Amino acid sequence: MAGHNNSVHMDPALVRYANMYVKRHEFFRWTPKTAWLTVTYVVAVPAAFVYMAFATEGKWEFRGKLKGDTIAEF
């Protein structure tokens, strides 16, 4: 028979996790750990990628090479 909406019980741990996921912004606190992680992932990691991109720009050319040709352009 259809219409039994309360017959399936949710796992309480999953319900708590879903509520925590939705309300995460309400419980966030700036601590030294969260500040350090924020600086690391927002500033340091992109800065490292930009540095490596500029440091290696133009050093290798993969197009138009024959077998045995070097890929280094410097």
Side-chain angles (χ1 to χ4, degrees), residues 35-52:
W36 173 249
L37 288 173
T38 301
V39 168
T40 301
Y41 288 113
V42 173
V43 176
V45 172
F49 279 119
V50 168
Y51 172 76
M52 290 302 296

Side-chain angles (χ1 to χ4, degrees), residues 56 58-67 69-73:
T56 59
K59 287 191 175 183
W60 296 285
E61 181 64 44
F62 294 104
R63 301 178 81 190
K65 298 292 183 179
L66 298 175
K67 184 176 181 178
D69 288 345
T70 180
I71 60 170
E73 294 290 329

Side-chain angles (χ1 to χ4, degrees), residues 5-58:
N5 292 335
N6 296 329
S7 62
V8 177
H9 297 288
M10 298 292 291
D11 183 11
L14 291 176
V15 171
R16 277 185 281 139
Y17 176 76
N19 289 334
M20 185 269 311
Y21 185 78
V22 171
K23 297 182 177 192
R24 182 177 301 178
H25 66 280
E26 295 178 11
F27 299 106
F28 180 78
R29 296 281 188 265
W30 281 107
T31 63
K33 181 181 178 181
T34 57
W36 173 249
L37 288 173
T38 301
V39 168
T40 301
Y41 288 113
V42 173
V43 176
V45 172
F49 279 119
V50 168
Y51 172 76
M52 290 302 296
F54 280 115
T56 59
E57 182 180 9

